[in-house]
Amino acid sequence: MCGIGGILGTGADRESSRALVEAMMSRIAHRGPDASGFAHGPRFALGHRRLSIIDIEHGQQPMYSRDGRYVLVYNGELYNFIELRQYLIQKYGTRFTTFSDTETLLQLLIAEGTAALQRLNGMFAFAFVDTQTCDWILARDQFGIKPLYWTSIGGQIKFASEIKALLCDPALKANADWAGVEQYLTFQFCLGEQTMFDRVRRIEPGCAILGNGGEIRQVLRYWDTNYEIDESQNEDYFVDRLRVLLDDAVHLQTRSDVPVGAYLSGGLDSSLVATLAANHVNGPMRLFHGHFLEGPQYDELPHARSVANAISGSELHITAPTAWDFVEDMPRLIHSMDEPVAGPGLFPQFRVSALASQHVKVVLGGQGGDEIFGGYARYLVGYLEQALKGAIFESQEEGKHLVTLASIIPNLPLLRDYSPLIQTFWRDGLFEPMDRRYFRLIDRSPDLENVLSDDALARYNGDRIFAEFQTIFNHPDTRSLFNKMTHFDLKSFLPALLQVEDRVSMAVSLESRVPLLDTRIVDLVTSMPPPLKFSGGRAKHIFKRAVGSVVPKPIMARKDKMGFPVPLAEWLRGGPVRDFVGDILLGQRSRERGLFRPAALQRLISAEGRYGRQLWGALCLELWHQTFIDQ
């Protein structure tokens, strides 16, 4: 795990290039405190910070080929590097000088170019340069687990693992991109390559940019979800195959030359990963859990203990973040994140990561399970309306993939705690087209007119944002509503969650791995007939069948899905959090910025015992402006 950055194109001499790249690497030294490196040529300069996980003695970067023609800087892990190494030896007679996955990637790219991307099982972002021709490849893993940003300035392409490194360049001013701010106000994340910084873009998951010098020549999507349904297999086949792939993915991701542990929330996904990993880790399985003491609605510790007790010889480490921790951490977290995304769960995630970093250097988690297998309550809300529409109008909008009203009724008690969401969802627009209905389920902006200032509201273009949403949601192969919903979340919501995963772990120099995000697993699930995945509206139906014999029964029987809730409602009643939020949102800088109506923010802060996404979004957006834009 590492941090990378560099300059591609003509221009600066060695010394000025080195000064800028080293400043960039210093800005993200937390990603790689173990070593640093620099490489320079006529039309490139590359920097690297290393967190040593595989082949600790070797594998320093930037890494050159034996003949000096090719050079690589790389962030991530290739979990199948041993198999790829054997493949290269057998097919090409490749000779290796290290046992690092970095050298494996370098040799594979030399041998096969962009075709090598199809063989990679891992999380990665890299820059690969042919020093003779100045051709280069910038690439990012299939799901966007590892970040990579770029900007084009003065005939040069500059890239880095984090945006704050790019901002070391005096030629790049930290200005807000209103299109990105609009998307954040709507979704609490940005879509596609968009960021909240003017002139800064991200490489999308499963994509590579090919160029020469300072010129981009091609954007290649080398992997994408495939929804061609396999009708030839029955449910038992998919269950058996999924069970094998889950265990193999966890096994591959326990490969490490340093200690490995696992996050354990007490939910299904992390419980599975921790239980499987314990079978492949030498020594005790170190588990890490966070909870709050403000009430049982914020406490999953009993569930985490039950899993830990079922894992022989495990060690459960626990942290209980406080209101004072929140006040202390939030400015640092916004700086770590580069741009705000998702909800307040990043705060306790950071605290658990900090705890884990005291004991291990690698930690496994269950991220991705809800998006792959359909674990969110909003999927059931969406299908309840879809089933009603089919029953009332006798329509077959999805053909044989429709979940019927009769089949969904037994599972509706799971929505008891989501009645406010349903009331909001059905307030208007009932039985609209599928894209419009799902947009309303995830849209955070319906009441923006009550919070945004007149000037900001006049600039807000809801039609444009919905059109951008449609391009992702209406994937031509996703004929079922279930596949459309999970596809959008895999392409948009999941990368935002992975940004949180990356930043909160790398902020404390910890490598976080997510075994459920294995392309073999996703390719299998997207090929399944939708009724198998969401049979009768049962969340994670096929997943639960596959893991029922592995995960402790009390966890399988849980009906109280919690996520990682934060007691902000309680903290906003008084004390340091209320004072902190008030100082940020009602202070002079926020008022002068003019994004929000101060009176509306005051009402949100003063709403006794209430907390909403609007307040969280406003807090993060103002902190982001103060951290990056105002400087």
Side-chain angles (χ1 to χ4, degrees), residues 93-132:
T94 305
R95 295 166 57 198
F96 289 87
T97 58
T98 75
F99 199 71
S100 68
D101 59 334
T102 304
E103 187 179 11
T104 302
L105 176 58
L106 174 62
Q107 296 289 3
L108 190 63
L109 288 167
I110 293 170
E112 300 188 351
T114 56
L117 294 166
Q118 304 294 334
R119 302 188 185 276
L120 305 182
N121 182 338
M123 54 180 182
F124 55 85
F126 66 78
F128 173 72
V129 180
D130 182 334
T131 66
Q132 287 187 10

mmCIF file of all heavy atoms in Angstrom, residues 93-132:
data_model
loop_
_atom_site.group_PDB
_atom_site.id
_atom_site.type_symbol
_atom_site.label_atom_id
_atom_site.label_comp_id
_atom_site.label_asym_id
_atom_site.label_seq_id
_atom_site.Cartn_x
_atom_site.Cartn_y
_atom_site.Cartn_z
ATOM 1 N N GLY A 93 9.233 -16.964 -19.919
ATOM 2 C CA GLY A 93 10.560 -17.184 -19.368
ATOM 3 C C GLY A 93 11.071 -15.995 -18.576
ATOM 4 O O GLY A 93 12.292 -15.769 -18.491
ATOM 5 N N THR A 94 10.171 -15.236 -17.986
ATOM 6 C CA THR A 94 10.544 -14.025 -17.254
ATOM 7 C C THR A 94 11.447 -14.348 -16.068
ATOM 8 O O THR A 94 11.208 -15.317 -15.342
ATOM 9 C CB THR A 94 9.280 -13.295 -16.761
ATOM 10 O OG1 THR A 94 8.425 -13.041 -17.878
ATOM 11 C CG2 THR A 94 9.632 -11.983 -16.085
ATOM 12 N N ARG A 95 12.460 -13.538 -15.867
ATOM 13 C CA ARG A 95 13.365 -13.678 -14.732
ATOM 14 C C ARG A 95 13.052 -12.586 -13.720
ATOM 15 O O ARG A 95 12.916 -11.408 -14.077
ATOM 16 C CB ARG A 95 14.815 -13.586 -15.200
ATOM 17 C CG ARG A 95 15.239 -14.717 -16.123
ATOM 18 C CD ARG A 95 16.542 -14.398 -16.820
ATOM 19 N NE ARG A 95 17.604 -14.105 -15.868
ATOM 20 C CZ ARG A 95 18.738 -13.477 -16.180
ATOM 21 N NH1 ARG A 95 18.937 -13.042 -17.420
ATOM 22 N NH2 ARG A 95 19.663 -13.272 -15.253
ATOM 23 N N PHE A 96 12.951 -12.970 -12.458
ATOM 24 C CA PHE A 96 12.610 -12.044 -11.385
ATOM 25 C C PHE A 96 13.787 -11.841 -10.451
ATOM 26 O O PHE A 96 14.576 -12.758 -10.210
ATOM 27 C CB PHE A 96 11.408 -12.560 -10.585
ATOM 28 C CG PHE A 96 10.099 -12.503 -11.331
ATOM 29 C CD1 PHE A 96 9.699 -13.552 -12.149
ATOM 30 C CD2 PHE A 96 9.280 -11.396 -11.222
ATOM 31 C CE1 PHE A 96 8.501 -13.500 -12.836
ATOM 32 C CE2 PHE A 96 8.076 -11.331 -11.911
ATOM 33 C CZ PHE A 96 7.684 -12.385 -12.719
ATOM 34 N N THR A 97 13.888 -10.640 -9.901
ATOM 35 C CA THR A 97 14.934 -10.349 -8.926
ATOM 36 C C THR A 97 14.370 -10.100 -7.532
ATOM 37 O O THR A 97 15.133 -10.005 -6.567
ATOM 38 C CB THR A 97 15.736 -9.102 -9.357
ATOM 39 O OG1 THR A 97 14.849 -7.989 -9.483
ATOM 40 C CG2 THR A 97 16.432 -9.361 -10.689
ATOM 41 N N THR A 98 13.041 -9.969 -7.422
ATOM 42 C CA THR A 98 12.386 -9.806 -6.120
ATOM 43 C C THR A 98 11.197 -10.757 -6.061
ATOM 44 O O THR A 98 10.855 -11.415 -7.046
ATOM 45 C CB THR A 98 11.873 -8.365 -5.901
ATOM 46 O OG1 THR A 98 10.683 -8.156 -6.695
ATOM 47 C CG2 THR A 98 12.921 -7.338 -6.298
ATOM 48 N N PHE A 99 10.565 -10.811 -4.888
ATOM 49 C CA PHE A 99 9.338 -11.588 -4.754
ATOM 50 C C PHE A 99 8.161 -10.644 -4.498
ATOM 51 O O PHE A 99 7.193 -10.980 -3.835
ATOM 52 C CB PHE A 99 9.460 -12.600 -3.612
ATOM 53 C CG PHE A 99 8.458 -13.716 -3.703
ATOM 54 C CD1 PHE A 99 8.559 -14.690 -4.681
ATOM 55 C CD2 PHE A 99 7.391 -13.780 -2.820
ATOM 56 C CE1 PHE A 99 7.623 -15.717 -4.771
ATOM 57 C CE2 PHE A 99 6.448 -14.805 -2.895
ATOM 58 C CZ PHE A 99 6.569 -15.773 -3.880
ATOM 59 N N SER A 100 8.243 -9.442 -5.044
ATOM 60 C CA SER A 100 7.211 -8.436 -4.806
ATOM 61 C C SER A 100 6.140 -8.485 -5.886
ATOM 62 O O SER A 100 6.401 -8.860 -7.028
ATOM 63 C CB SER A 100 7.837 -7.035 -4.780
ATOM 64 O OG SER A 100 8.314 -6.688 -6.071
ATOM 65 N N ASP A 101 4.936 -8.079 -5.515
ATOM 66 C CA ASP A 101 3.880 -7.977 -6.511
ATOM 67 C C ASP A 101 4.130 -6.799 -7.446
ATOM 68 O O ASP A 101 3.636 -6.765 -8.573
ATOM 69 C CB ASP A 101 2.496 -7.863 -5.850
ATOM 70 C CG ASP A 101 2.370 -6.662 -4.928
ATOM 71 O OD1 ASP A 101 3.396 -6.202 -4.399
ATOM 72 O OD2 ASP A 101 1.233 -6.197 -4.713
ATOM 73 N N THR A 102 4.954 -5.830 -7.015
ATOM 74 C CA THR A 102 5.311 -4.704 -7.884
ATOM 75 C C THR A 102 6.068 -5.194 -9.116
ATOM 76 O O THR A 102 5.750 -4.809 -10.252
ATOM 77 C CB THR A 102 6.166 -3.683 -7.117
ATOM 78 O OG1 THR A 102 5.459 -3.257 -5.957
ATOM 79 C CG2 THR A 102 6.486 -2.485 -7.993
ATOM 80 N N GLU A 103 7.063 -6.037 -8.909
ATOM 81 C CA GLU A 103 7.819 -6.553 -10.046
ATOM 82 C C GLU A 103 6.945 -7.427 -10.935
ATOM 83 O O GLU A 103 7.076 -7.414 -12.170
ATOM 84 C CB GLU A 103 9.049 -7.331 -9.591
ATOM 85 C CG GLU A 103 9.943 -7.719 -10.759
ATOM 86 C CD GLU A 103 11.183 -8.479 -10.337
ATOM 87 O OE1 GLU A 103 11.278 -8.904 -9.171
ATOM 88 O OE2 GLU A 103 12.068 -8.675 -11.207
ATOM 89 N N THR A 104 6.027 -8.180 -10.332
ATOM 90 C CA THR A 104 5.105 -8.991 -11.124
ATOM 91 C C THR A 104 4.264 -8.112 -12.035
ATOM 92 O O THR A 104 4.100 -8.398 -13.227
ATOM 93 C CB THR A 104 4.189 -9.815 -10.196
ATOM 94 O OG1 THR A 104 4.986 -10.646 -9.357
ATOM 95 C CG2 THR A 104 3.233 -10.677 -11.008
ATOM 96 N N LEU A 105 3.734 -7.015 -11.495
ATOM 97 C CA LEU A 105 2.932 -6.097 -12.306
ATOM 98 C C LEU A 105 3.780 -5.461 -13.403
ATOM 99 O O LEU A 105 3.347 -5.361 -14.562
ATOM 100 C CB LEU A 105 2.311 -5.025 -11.421
ATOM 101 C CG LEU A 105 1.511 -3.930 -12.129
ATOM 102 C CD1 LEU A 105 0.366 -4.526 -12.941
ATOM 103 C CD2 LEU A 105 0.988 -2.905 -11.132
ATOM 104 N N LEU A 106 4.986 -5.033 -13.065
ATOM 105 C CA LEU A 106 5.875 -4.418 -14.046
ATOM 106 C C LEU A 106 6.152 -5.373 -15.210
ATOM 107 O O LEU A 106 6.016 -5.002 -16.389
ATOM 108 C CB LEU A 106 7.187 -4.013 -13.375
ATOM 109 C CG LEU A 106 8.297 -3.483 -14.294
ATOM 110 C CD1 LEU A 106 7.861 -2.204 -15.002
ATOM 111 C CD2 LEU A 106 9.576 -3.248 -13.497
ATOM 112 N N GLN A 107 6.493 -6.607 -14.902
ATOM 113 C CA GLN A 107 6.827 -7.580 -15.951
ATOM 114 C C GLN A 107 5.597 -7.948 -16.784
ATOM 115 O O GLN A 107 5.692 -8.158 -18.000
ATOM 116 C CB GLN A 107 7.428 -8.843 -15.316
ATOM 117 C CG GLN A 107 8.751 -8.634 -14.605
ATOM 118 C CD GLN A 107 9.905 -8.361 -15.563
ATOM 119 O OE1 GLN A 107 9.733 -8.261 -16.773
ATOM 120 N NE2 GLN A 107 11.100 -8.220 -15.007
ATOM 121 N N LEU A 108 4.433 -7.996 -16.154
ATOM 122 C CA LEU A 108 3.208 -8.324 -16.884
ATOM 123 C C LEU A 108 2.845 -7.209 -17.857
ATOM 124 O O LEU A 108 2.427 -7.451 -18.994
ATOM 125 C CB LEU A 108 2.064 -8.576 -15.902
ATOM 126 C CG LEU A 108 0.766 -9.158 -16.488
ATOM 127 C CD1 LEU A 108 1.005 -10.545 -17.076
ATOM 128 C CD2 LEU A 108 -0.313 -9.226 -15.405
ATOM 129 N N LEU A 109 3.012 -5.957 -17.426
ATOM 130 C CA LEU A 109 2.731 -4.826 -18.311
ATOM 131 C C LEU A 109 3.718 -4.777 -19.473
ATOM 132 O O LEU A 109 3.347 -4.440 -20.602
ATOM 133 C CB LEU A 109 2.783 -3.525 -17.511
ATOM 134 C CG LEU A 109 1.625 -3.286 -16.540
ATOM 135 C CD1 LEU A 109 1.935 -2.158 -15.580
ATOM 136 C CD2 LEU A 109 0.328 -2.997 -17.298
ATOM 137 N N ILE A 110 4.974 -5.092 -19.225
ATOM 138 C CA ILE A 110 5.960 -5.131 -20.307
ATOM 139 C C ILE A 110 5.587 -6.205 -21.323
ATOM 140 O O ILE A 110 5.656 -5.975 -22.541
ATOM 141 C CB ILE A 110 7.373 -5.400 -19.739
ATOM 142 C CG1 ILE A 110 7.843 -4.210 -18.896
ATOM 143 C CG2 ILE A 110 8.367 -5.679 -20.865
ATOM 144 C CD1 ILE A 110 9.109 -4.484 -18.103
ATOM 145 N N ALA A 111 5.143 -7.356 -20.847
ATOM 146 C CA ALA A 111 4.846 -8.485 -21.729
ATOM 147 C C ALA A 111 3.546 -8.301 -22.492
ATOM 148 O O ALA A 111 3.450 -8.677 -23.670
ATOM 149 C CB ALA A 111 4.789 -9.782 -20.917
ATOM 150 N N GLU A 112 2.505 -7.689 -21.853
ATOM 151 C CA GLU A 112 1.168 -7.727 -22.455
ATOM 152 C C GLU A 112 0.490 -6.372 -22.560
ATOM 153 O O GLU A 112 -0.632 -6.290 -23.071
ATOM 154 C CB GLU A 112 0.290 -8.706 -21.669
ATOM 155 C CG GLU A 112 0.848 -10.129 -21.680
ATOM 156 C CD GLU A 112 -0.099 -11.147 -21.070
ATOM 157 O OE1 GLU A 112 -1.118 -10.740 -20.474
ATOM 158 O OE2 GLU A 112 0.168 -12.356 -21.205
ATOM 159 N N GLY A 113 1.107 -5.309 -22.103
ATOM 160 C CA GLY A 113 0.484 -3.997 -22.219
ATOM 161 C C GLY A 113 -0.849 -3.936 -21.501
ATOM 162 O O GLY A 113 -1.032 -4.515 -20.433
ATOM 163 N N THR A 114 -1.812 -3.232 -22.089
ATOM 164 C CA THR A 114 -3.110 -3.066 -21.432
ATOM 165 C C THR A 114 -3.877 -4.378 -21.294
ATOM 166 O O THR A 114 -4.773 -4.477 -20.461
ATOM 167 C CB THR A 114 -3.983 -2.058 -22.203
ATOM 168 O OG1 THR A 114 -4.113 -2.478 -23.564
ATOM 169 C CG2 THR A 114 -3.365 -0.672 -22.159
ATOM 170 N N ALA A 115 -3.536 -5.401 -22.091
ATOM 171 C CA ALA A 115 -4.176 -6.712 -21.931
ATOM 172 C C ALA A 115 -3.909 -7.290 -20.546
ATOM 173 O O ALA A 115 -4.681 -8.118 -20.052
ATOM 174 C CB ALA A 115 -3.690 -7.674 -23.014
ATOM 175 N N ALA A 116 -2.807 -6.852 -19.911
ATOM 176 C CA ALA A 116 -2.485 -7.336 -18.571
ATOM 177 C C ALA A 116 -3.570 -6.971 -17.565
ATOM 178 O O ALA A 116 -3.762 -7.684 -16.561
ATOM 179 C CB ALA A 116 -1.150 -6.739 -18.124
ATOM 180 N N LEU A 117 -4.296 -5.880 -17.805
ATOM 181 C CA LEU A 117 -5.310 -5.430 -16.857
ATOM 182 C C LEU A 117 -6.388 -6.475 -16.629
ATOM 183 O O LEU A 117 -6.980 -6.548 -15.548
ATOM 184 C CB LEU A 117 -5.937 -4.121 -17.353
ATOM 185 C CG LEU A 117 -4.987 -2.912 -17.392
ATOM 186 C CD1 LEU A 117 -5.603 -1.775 -18.199
ATOM 187 C CD2 LEU A 117 -4.653 -2.442 -15.991
ATOM 188 N N GLN A 118 -6.645 -7.290 -17.644
ATOM 189 C CA GLN A 118 -7.684 -8.317 -17.523
ATOM 190 C C GLN A 118 -7.293 -9.414 -16.545
ATOM 191 O O GLN A 118 -8.149 -10.174 -16.079
ATOM 192 C CB GLN A 118 -7.967 -8.936 -18.898
ATOM 193 C CG GLN A 118 -8.363 -7.951 -19.976
ATOM 194 C CD GLN A 118 -9.698 -7.291 -19.700
ATOM 195 O OE1 GLN A 118 -10.547 -7.848 -19.012
ATOM 196 N NE2 GLN A 118 -9.896 -6.099 -20.244
ATOM 197 N N ARG A 119 -6.018 -9.528 -16.230
ATOM 198 C CA ARG A 119 -5.537 -10.627 -15.390
ATOM 199 C C ARG A 119 -5.407 -10.242 -13.919
ATOM 200 O O ARG A 119 -5.119 -11.093 -13.084
ATOM 201 C CB ARG A 119 -4.170 -11.110 -15.889
ATOM 202 C CG ARG A 119 -4.174 -11.584 -17.331
ATOM 203 C CD ARG A 119 -2.827 -12.227 -17.687
ATOM 204 N NE ARG A 119 -2.780 -12.588 -19.102
ATOM 205 C CZ ARG A 119 -3.279 -13.717 -19.600
ATOM 206 N NH1 ARG A 119 -3.869 -14.581 -18.783
ATOM 207 N NH2 ARG A 119 -3.209 -13.975 -20.892
ATOM 208 N N LEU A 120 -5.609 -8.982 -13.604
ATOM 209 C CA LEU A 120 -5.289 -8.499 -12.267
ATOM 210 C C LEU A 120 -6.442 -8.718 -11.292
ATOM 211 O O LEU A 120 -7.563 -8.280 -11.519
ATOM 212 C CB LEU A 120 -4.937 -7.013 -12.319
ATOM 213 C CG LEU A 120 -3.808 -6.620 -13.280
ATOM 214 C CD1 LEU A 120 -3.536 -5.127 -13.177
ATOM 215 C CD2 LEU A 120 -2.549 -7.428 -13.031
ATOM 216 N N ASN A 121 -6.140 -9.389 -10.184
ATOM 217 C CA ASN A 121 -7.083 -9.551 -9.078
ATOM 218 C C ASN A 121 -6.490 -8.810 -7.887
ATOM 219 O O ASN A 121 -5.559 -9.285 -7.246
ATOM 220 C CB ASN A 121 -7.265 -11.042 -8.755
ATOM 221 C CG ASN A 121 -8.278 -11.258 -7.630
ATOM 222 O OD1 ASN A 121 -8.549 -10.370 -6.828
ATOM 223 N ND2 ASN A 121 -8.838 -12.451 -7.570
ATOM 224 N N GLY A 122 -7.018 -7.630 -7.634
ATOM 225 C CA GLY A 122 -6.462 -6.857 -6.533
ATOM 226 C C GLY A 122 -7.062 -5.478 -6.445
ATOM 227 O O GLY A 122 -8.087 -5.175 -7.053
ATOM 228 N N MET A 123 -6.400 -4.642 -5.667
ATOM 229 C CA MET A 123 -6.753 -3.226 -5.591
ATOM 230 C C MET A 123 -5.503 -2.464 -6.001
ATOM 231 O O MET A 123 -4.410 -2.742 -5.519
ATOM 232 C CB MET A 123 -7.208 -2.846 -4.182
ATOM 233 C CG MET A 123 -6.241 -3.197 -3.068
ATOM 234 S SD MET A 123 -6.894 -2.690 -1.457
ATOM 235 C CE MET A 123 -5.536 -3.163 -0.391
ATOM 236 N N PHE A 124 -5.656 -1.515 -6.910
ATOM 237 C CA PHE A 124 -4.457 -0.897 -7.447
ATOM 238 C C PHE A 124 -4.751 0.429 -8.138
ATOM 239 O O PHE A 124 -5.860 0.687 -8.603
ATOM 240 C CB PHE A 124 -3.768 -1.836 -8.451
ATOM 241 C CG PHE A 124 -4.659 -2.312 -9.562
ATOM 242 C CD1 PHE A 124 -4.845 -1.551 -10.710
ATOM 243 C CD2 PHE A 124 -5.325 -3.526 -9.465
ATOM 244 C CE1 PHE A 124 -5.666 -1.987 -11.738
ATOM 245 C CE2 PHE A 124 -6.162 -3.967 -10.483
ATOM 246 C CZ PHE A 124 -6.331 -3.206 -11.626
ATOM 247 N N ALA A 125 -3.719 1.243 -8.174
ATOM 248 C CA ALA A 125 -3.649 2.425 -9.028
ATOM 249 C C ALA A 125 -2.180 2.555 -9.390
ATOM 250 O O ALA A 125 -1.311 2.439 -8.513
ATOM 251 C CB ALA A 125 -4.139 3.666 -8.299
ATOM 252 N N PHE A 126 -1.875 2.769 -10.677
ATOM 253 C CA PHE A 126 -0.464 2.802 -11.052
ATOM 254 C C PHE A 126 -0.232 3.710 -12.256
ATOM 255 O O PHE A 126 -1.152 4.056 -13.001
ATOM 256 C CB PHE A 126 0.061 1.387 -11.350
ATOM 257 C CG PHE A 126 -0.524 0.713 -12.560
ATOM 258 C CD1 PHE A 126 -0.106 1.032 -13.855
ATOM 259 C CD2 PHE A 126 -1.492 -0.282 -12.420
ATOM 260 C CE1 PHE A 126 -0.628 0.400 -14.970
ATOM 261 C CE2 PHE A 126 -2.024 -0.920 -13.530
ATOM 262 C CZ PHE A 126 -1.592 -0.577 -14.810
ATOM 263 N N ALA A 127 1.047 4.070 -12.417
ATOM 264 C CA ALA A 127 1.538 4.775 -13.604
ATOM 265 C C ALA A 127 2.689 3.944 -14.168
ATOM 266 O O ALA A 127 3.647 3.628 -13.454
ATOM 267 C CB ALA A 127 2.014 6.172 -13.255
ATOM 268 N N PHE A 128 2.585 3.604 -15.447
ATOM 269 C CA PHE A 128 3.577 2.776 -16.145
ATOM 270 C C PHE A 128 4.075 3.562 -17.347
ATOM 271 O O PHE A 128 3.278 4.006 -18.174
ATOM 272 C CB PHE A 128 2.921 1.464 -16.583
ATOM 273 C CG PHE A 128 3.775 0.587 -17.458
ATOM 274 C CD1 PHE A 128 4.863 -0.094 -16.941
ATOM 275 C CD2 PHE A 128 3.476 0.438 -18.810
ATOM 276 C CE1 PHE A 128 5.643 -0.919 -17.747
ATOM 277 C CE2 PHE A 128 4.247 -0.381 -19.629
ATOM 278 C CZ PHE A 128 5.334 -1.052 -19.093
ATOM 279 N N VAL A 129 5.398 3.765 -17.438
ATOM 280 C CA VAL A 129 5.967 4.655 -18.454
ATOM 281 C C VAL A 129 7.022 3.915 -19.274
ATOM 282 O O VAL A 129 7.897 3.239 -18.715
ATOM 283 C CB VAL A 129 6.606 5.899 -17.806
ATOM 284 C CG1 VAL A 129 7.195 6.817 -18.875
ATOM 285 C CG2 VAL A 129 5.579 6.656 -16.962
ATOM 286 N N ASP A 130 6.914 4.053 -20.595
ATOM 287 C CA ASP A 130 7.963 3.615 -21.511
ATOM 288 C C ASP A 130 8.895 4.818 -21.689
ATOM 289 O O ASP A 130 8.536 5.804 -22.330
ATOM 290 C CB ASP A 130 7.353 3.190 -22.847
ATOM 291 C CG ASP A 130 8.382 2.676 -23.848
ATOM 292 O OD1 ASP A 130 9.560 3.073 -23.748
ATOM 293 O OD2 ASP A 130 7.998 1.893 -24.738
ATOM 294 N N THR A 131 10.078 4.753 -21.137
ATOM 295 C CA THR A 131 10.967 5.912 -21.135
ATOM 296 C C THR A 131 11.522 6.233 -22.524
ATOM 297 O O THR A 131 12.001 7.356 -22.742
ATOM 298 C CB THR A 131 12.144 5.698 -20.164
ATOM 299 O OG1 THR A 131 12.968 4.633 -20.647
ATOM 300 C CG2 THR A 131 11.642 5.377 -18.769
ATOM 301 N N GLN A 132 11.470 5.281 -23.454
ATOM 302 C CA GLN A 132 11.971 5.542 -24.814
ATOM 303 C C GLN A 132 10.947 6.289 -25.654
ATOM 304 O O GLN A 132 11.273 7.263 -26.341
ATOM 305 C CB GLN A 132 12.365 4.226 -25.496
ATOM 306 C CG GLN A 132 13.641 3.610 -24.961
ATOM 307 C CD GLN A 132 14.077 2.399 -25.776
ATOM 308 O OE1 GLN A 132 13.538 2.121 -26.851
ATOM 309 N NE2 GLN A 132 15.065 1.673 -25.271
#
